[in-house]
Amino acid sequence: MWFILSLVTIMFWGGSDLFSKMGSDSTDKYSHWKIVVAVGTVMGLHATFELLTGTKFYPVDFIKYSPAIICYVSSMILGYVGLRYIMLSVSSPICNSSGALACVLLMVVLKEFPENPLQYVGLVLVCVGVVALAILEQKKDKEARERLSEEEKKKYSKGFIAVMFPIFYCIIDALGTFVDGYLLGDYEGMPAKIEETAGLIAYELTFLLMAVFAFIYVVVIRREKISFSGEKPKIAAAVCETAGQVAYTYAIAANSVVAAPMISTYCVFSLIWARILLKEKLTKAQYLVLAIALAGILILGDFYA
């Protein structure tokens, strides 16, 4: 089941990646907080649905799952802020390298390894696909910036500072995935693990609280308007983010060491979303990257079957 759930996560988070960028506005300094409002609202609705349908959840679950929550919430906010200053083509591959980093942490610290040696081939292909995309898109980004007007170049004038956002996201998110694998897994000598749905609800309610704070800050304190009818990309990103988070939680609980780097390919699949929804043309090199990533996923899927 972890393989199917990983695929679902990839597709939804690829969409979230695309819609988040579409909903980000470099001229709106509250844009990232508005995305937090949208994501927190949708996650809160899902958590409420789970509670109303009888899912068991206790206040202590917040404490048990707090290390993962702190990492995930911090990394997501950093990611949303960074989207205001850096192109998605650069930020996404850097952010998604967290899956490979988390895989290394799980193997080194928890001694969790793939079951079959050939799965390493799949993991390598997946990671190569993500890194290759980063190289291709950074080159494309540099060429695109050279064609920008002086006013547009100001948006990317803080290049070094901007790139630090996805780097910090990568590190913190990798720690979150590592902690997730530990808390949701079943390792000798650890306290009773937290149930997947309970951890998910704790995370979603935390993000709902963040959304409330963000709404108060933007609307009440700063007196900015939020028009939900005019924020369709942010709402679409929120729906995709929530759906992906649900699938991700169960995938990581089932097989964190393989699922984590596999899920990181959602940055590659955001190309597919861009091709379908935005009609963007892909180069031969980009199609090659897609083929490499898909080959890695198919190898992992073969052992799943």
Side-chain angles (χ1 to χ4, degrees), residues 164-244:
M164 293 308 295
F165 282 106
I167 289 176
F168 281 129
Y169 172 99
C170 174
I171 295 172
I172 297 173
D173 190 65
L175 288 174
T177 302
F178 166 74
V179 172
D180 227 350
Y182 178 75
L183 294 176
L184 299 178
D186 188 12
Y187 298 98
E188 185 177 352
M190 71 172 289
K193 76 166 189 173
I194 184 173
E195 292 298 322
E196 293 91 336
T197 308
L200 177 63
I201 292 175
Y203 175 75
E204 290 182 327
L205 291 180
T206 301
F207 222 97
L208 174 61
L209 185 61
M210 290 292 297
V212 171
F213 287 146
F215 183 85
I216 293 174
Y217 174 70
V218 173
V219 177
V220 179
I221 298 178
R222 293 300 180 181
R223 299 189 181 281
E224 288 283 321
K225 293 182 179 180
I226 296 181
S227 173
F228 289 99
S229 61
E231 302 289 359
K232 293 180 180 178
K234 292 184 176 66
I235 296 173
V239 172
C240 288
E241 182 67 34
T242 302

Side-chain angles (χ1 to χ4, degrees), residues 241-276:
E241 182 67 34
T242 302
Q245 185 66 39
V246 174
Y248 167 84
T249 300
Y250 292 98
I252 289 295
N255 192 343
S256 57
V257 71
V258 179
M262 177 178 162
I263 290 172
S264 70
T265 61
Y266 75 81
C267 67
V268 179
F269 279 76
S270 66
L271 291 176
I272 298 177
W273 280 105
R275 180 70 182 89
I276 296 173

Side-chain angles (χ1 to χ4, degrees), residues 18 270-282 287:
L18 179 66
S270 66
L271 291 176
I272 298 177
W273 280 105
R275 180 70 182 89
I276 296 173
L277 298 180
L278 302 182
K279 308 301 181 183
E280 290 186 359
K281 293 183 178 180
L282 302 182
Y287 279 115

